[in-house]
Amino acid sequence: MSIEVKNLLKKYGEQKAVNNVSFSLSKGEIVGFLGPNGAGKSTTMKMITGYLKPDDGEIKVCNIDVDKDVMKAKTKIGYLPESNPLYYDMYVKEYLQFIAGVHQINPASGGTKQSIQNVIELTGLTVESKKKIGQLSKGYKQRVGLAAALLHEPEVLILDEPTSGLYPNQIIEIRNVIKEQGKNKTVLFSTHILQEVQAICDRVIIINKGELVADSSVEQLK
């Protein structure tokens, strides 16, 4: 399994933001993580990626225990958080060069430069790649975040509201990128829009008030 979550628990005071959640994802699956705002989607994703420590439960990414070796687990994960934090004063290529350094992508034989060019083309950033990030529209800023998540060729993609605030044509383009990546990666992406899941996924996991309420195919849920 690419992602294994068992009996996950996260509390804030007396409130259980995530309560006894378990699921697993295999390679090649694109799974929608559905639920209303405040359901616990982002909290669960932050725990899977190692940015937030659970109060109880077990998380494995590519058979790596996230609690025991979080840095190794992160090498397997491409993460696009909902807030999509970026350095607005950096140029697109400069920022991706910085991200490549963080992931220690081998610069030998122009490897870093080629990797950056590949994700720029993949995410449709070519026409804006010479601009500063602060000059980009929200749609293109989202593409920069997605490019950064894909740069180190992770086995698992965790995408938190990847199409939030985008125009319809931009949504379609990002969906196409996600579907293409799902052919050889495991993709878990959150949304509160059912149409989004229907357009991309065969399977959906629904969480509400911190608890898992459904895990089945889109057709079964219909």
Side-chain angles (χ1 to χ4, degrees), residues 112-162:
T112 301
K113 186 176 180 180
Q114 189 58 53
S115 295
I116 290 170
Q117 188 58 39
N118 289 345
V119 294
I120 283 174
E121 292 174 4
L122 179 65
T123 55
L125 275 168
T126 305
V127 295
E128 301 290 310
S129 62
K130 294 182 180 180
K131 288 185 178 180
K132 284 188 175 182
I133 293 172
Q135 296 173 316
L136 302 178
S137 67
K138 181 172 182 179
Y140 277 104
K141 286 172 183 169
Q142 198 74 341
R143 293 176 196 228
V144 173
L146 187 56
L150 291 168
L151 186 58
H152 61 296
E153 298 185 0
E155 295 179 41
V156 172
L157 273 178
I158 307 288
L159 309 175
D160 196 352
E161 303 276 3

Side-chain angles (χ1 to χ4, degrees), residues 35-104:
N37 290 328
K41 302 187 301 296
S42 294
T43 300
T44 301
M45 289 179 145
K46 287 175 182 176
M47 288 189 283
I48 293 171
T49 55
Y51 288 92
L52 195 61
K53 193 175 179 64
D55 293 314
D56 200 5
E58 182 182 348
I59 305 166
K60 288 185 179 180
V61 175
C62 300
N63 295 316
I64 301 165
D65 190 314
V66 174
D67 185 54
K68 293 178 180 177
D69 198 345
V70 67
M71 294 308 294
K72 187 176 180 182
K74 285 182 179 183
T75 66
K76 305 291 185 181
I77 299 169
Y79 178 40
L80 176 62
E82 185 180 6
S83 58
N84 190 15
L86 300 167
Y87 292 110
Y88 283 11
D89 287 336
M90 297 180 80
Y91 290 92
V92 172
K93 287 186 177 180
E94 181 185 15
Y95 174 71
L96 293 175
Q97 182 76 45
F98 165 71
I99 296 297
V102 170
H103 287 293
Q104 299 180 334

